[in-house]
Amino acid sequence: MTKPVNLTSRDLACMWHPYTQMKTAPDPLPIVRGEGIYLYTEDGRRLLDGISSWWVNIHGHAHPALNAALTAQAARLEHVLFAGATHEPAVELAEQLISILPPGLTRIFYSDNGSTAVEVALKMAWQYWQNNGQPQRRDFVALHHAFHGDTVGAMSPSEVTGFSKPFEGLLFPVHRAHAPYCYRCPLGLKRSECAIDCLGDLERVLAERRDSVAAVIVEPMLQAAGGMIVWPSEFLSGVRQLCDRYGTLMIADEILTGFGRTGRMFACEHASVSPDLVCLSKALTGGYLPMAVTAATEPIYRAFLSDDRTKAFFHGHSYTANPLGCAVALASLSLFRAEGTLDRIKALEKQFRERLESLRTIAIVGDVRGIGGIAAIELERTGGYFDSIGPRLYDAFLRRGLLLRPLGSILYFMPPYVITEQEVDWAFDQIADVLREVDAV
């Protein structure tokens, strides 16, 4: 049998892609190279990566400093088990993370991706109370519009949507409270006239289950997959206050929001909040390698110290603390310092806000919002993630050389931080033109 001649044909003969209806989806993009904010296809097209390759790339593709760190580490040590062994890149990365994380987070547990970071946090919170003699604390509280990952444990605190509906029978129950979705306020209020009233729903849940809640899990300041919902910082500080008042743990899922995405190194900084557990992944390695972290406070860590070996935390992965991932993550943190990355994100945020405001006059645009290096446009549609407008927009932008992946009726722009002002303006020009074209149909 003759082997297919191009990458797309070869892919279609053997691959099964994520989040894809393989019968109806367009052919996958045959990407052969990346450089800076651009991806290059086998057939010679150049695409501006407007979604940071699924939110992970922050310094641009094939960055020389990250390439060098990866190559140097591979020549020394590519991997070693982390149960009973250690290595310098893992220890140094843990030290650096502790120095920049919100105060009180003193212990680093490595895993492989965002979903596993959440699984680790949930299991730590659950066992923390078991080890402390409070086994009745086994409930979790999450918010509406939440998304925490695709493994069974991470799906459970996520809102039941098309992503998780087929697996609903596998999920453990959680209690759910309002999120501060100001554009579609669950209480029907206007942001200018409310006092973060939606926070009262979380207090109601915690008051009703005062002695049974193990933890509250939130995506601080930005609920991404749930609709790019940007929060008032007061809601985040209110979550911390309520967790303290009702004596439960707070888990901050910063898998997307960590490493500058919201304009601060970590989103919790917007409200000067220190959670009990933090989940990190995505941009941790600058978009190079799968790696994740669950950071914990010292009291949580000490709850697992015992002469009784059964009180240890029994969780791990074959590639835990992979030296290559740790080395690239260290190089990424170094770039933040050397290149003034957070200052660059502040400039992006200002430019994004200005360009977003110019889109409000397009009739199909319902709301615009942004934070840090993220711009979002909510269209006046009712189809949610499966709205047919999503694939139409994807195709239209692709024809113009811009790679965007709308969440149905939610269009967002989240490029690597190294994008220039001129490139930002070009991308927003394409967005405006396509939305006007769609609006005219």
Side-chain angles (χ1 to χ4, degrees):
M1 186 173 70
T2 304
K3 185 176 182 179
V5 294
N6 61 55
L7 185 57
T8 299
S9 298
R10 292 168 59 194
D11 176 286
L12 293 173
C14 62
M15 298 305 302
W16 190 348
H17 289 266
Y19 288 102
T20 301
Q21 175 44 262
M22 298 298 291
K23 183 176 182 179
T24 60
D27 290 348
L29 295 170
I31 304 299
V32 295
R33 184 169 69 89
E35 182 179 355
I37 65 166
Y38 294 101
L39 296 166
Y40 296 84
T41 66
E42 187 178 46
D43 53 2
R45 287 176 289 166
R46 185 181 80 161
L47 305 173
L48 192 155
D49 185 356
I51 56 171
S52 295
S53 289
W54 233 345
W55 315 349
V56 300
N57 189 292
I58 53 176
H59 303 297
H61 295 279
H63 195 291
L66 302 185
N67 292 349
L70 181 60
T71 302
Q73 183 58 47
R76 290 194 295 271
L77 176 66
E78 82 299 339
H79 188 62
V80 65
L81 83 166
F82 210 62
T86 192
H87 53 80
E88 186 174 4
V91 174
E92 184 176 350
L93 178 58
E95 291 170 342
Q96 289 201 24
L97 287 173
I98 289 168
S99 74
I100 60 175
L101 279 163
L105 294 157
T106 60
R107 297 288 170 169
I108 300 298
F109 190 97
Y110 290 110
S111 61
D112 292 359
N113 58 61
S115 295
T116 58
V118 170
E119 295 269 355
V120 167
L122 296 172
K123 290 172 69 174
M124 281 182 177
W126 175 284
Q127 191 178 346
Y128 167 81
W129 295 110
Q130 310 301 305
N131 287 359
N132 275 340
Q134 298 188 57
Q136 79 283 0
R137 284 192 172 270
R138 54 181 60 224
D139 292 342
F140 289 96
V141 179
L143 302 183
H144 288 294
H145 310 289
F147 180 81
H148 296 288
D150 286 331
T151 53
V152 171
M155 278 194 297
S156 295
S158 304
E159 185 84 89
V160 175
T161 64
F163 299 157
S164 55
K165 186 70 175 176
F167 315 106
E168 196 169 4
L170 290 172
L171 310 183
F172 63 77
V174 301
H175 305 287
R176 207 166 295 281
H178 289 324
Y181 193 171
C182 296
Y183 177 60
R184 301 185 185 278
C185 176
L187 302 178
L189 302 175
K190 299 292 184 183
R191 177 68 187 95
S192 58
E193 64 191 31
C194 90
I196 318 297
D197 302 75
C198 54
L199 195 60
D201 198 39
L202 177 59
E203 180 161 22
R204 174 191 59 79
V205 172
L206 291 176
E208 290 174 356
R209 296 162 178 82
R210 181 183 296 267
D211 298 320
S212 67
V213 174
V216 176
I217 181 169
V218 299
E219 302 154 87
M221 296 305 296
L222 178 74
Q223 291 178 281
M228 295 294 165
I229 301 166
V230 179
W231 290 8
S233 60
E234 296 90 339
F235 186 91
L236 177 58
S237 60
V239 172
R240 176 71 273 182
Q241 292 165 16
L242 288 174
C243 287
D244 289 342
R245 185 180 306 164
Y246 291 96
T248 193
L249 302 178
M250 176 183 174
I251 302 171
D253 176 351
E254 292 232 27
I255 289 159
L256 167 64
T257 58
F259 305 102
R261 280 296 180 199
T262 68
R264 308 287 181 91
M265 184 61 84
F266 302 104
C268 284
E269 295 174 28
H270 286 277
S272 300
V273 160
S274 289
D276 301 288
L277 293 158
V278 170
C279 307
L280 306 172
S281 188
K282 290 202 180 290
L284 173 61
T285 66
Y288 269 59
L289 290 165
M291 191 174 201
V293 157
T294 304
T297 62
E298 199 68 13
I300 290 178
Y301 170 74
R302 291 192 175 280
F304 292 80
L305 301 182
S306 174
D307 293 330
D308 181 355
R309 291 178 63 192
T310 66
K311 290 190 174 183
F313 185 56
F314 289 103
H315 187 104
H317 301 270
S318 300
Y319 284 92
T320 294
N322 173 253
L324 301 176
C326 291
V328 179
L330 284 165
S332 175
L333 291 179
S334 180
L335 285 176
F336 269 90
R337 297 185 293 269
E339 298 185 350
T341 301
L342 291 177
D343 289 335
R344 173 64 190 136
I345 299 167
K346 289 178 183 177
L348 283 177
E349 182 174 35
K350 181 176 183 295
Q351 188 179 10
F352 283 10
R353 288 186 185 278
E354 292 170 354
R355 292 305 306 257
L356 282 170
E357 285 302 316
S358 70
L359 301 176
R360 284 190 185 274
T361 57
I362 302 174
I364 197 174
V365 173
D367 187 39
V368 298
R369 46 188 180 260
I371 185 171
I374 301 166
I377 302 113
E378 181 163 351
L379 306 181
E380 283 290 11
R381 306 277 293 196
T382 58
Y385 179 80
F386 294 104
D387 195 305
S388 62
I389 200 170
R392 289 167 54 201
L393 292 173
Y394 173 83
D395 290 339
F397 289 122
L398 210 56
R399 289 194 297 270
R400 292 168 172 265
L402 177 59
L403 177 59
L404 297 178
R405 189 181 169 90
L407 298 164
S409 58
I410 307 291
L411 176 63
Y412 68 92
F413 182 52
M414 190 190 305
Y417 305 146
V418 293
I419 191 171
T420 67
E421 291 182 15
Q422 293 75 22
E423 290 163 335
V424 168
D425 280 334
W426 177 86
F428 271 97
D429 288 345
Q430 310 315 305
I431 291 170
D433 288 347
V434 168
L435 290 180
R436 290 191 181 100
E437 290 173 3
V438 171
D439 197 37
V441 174

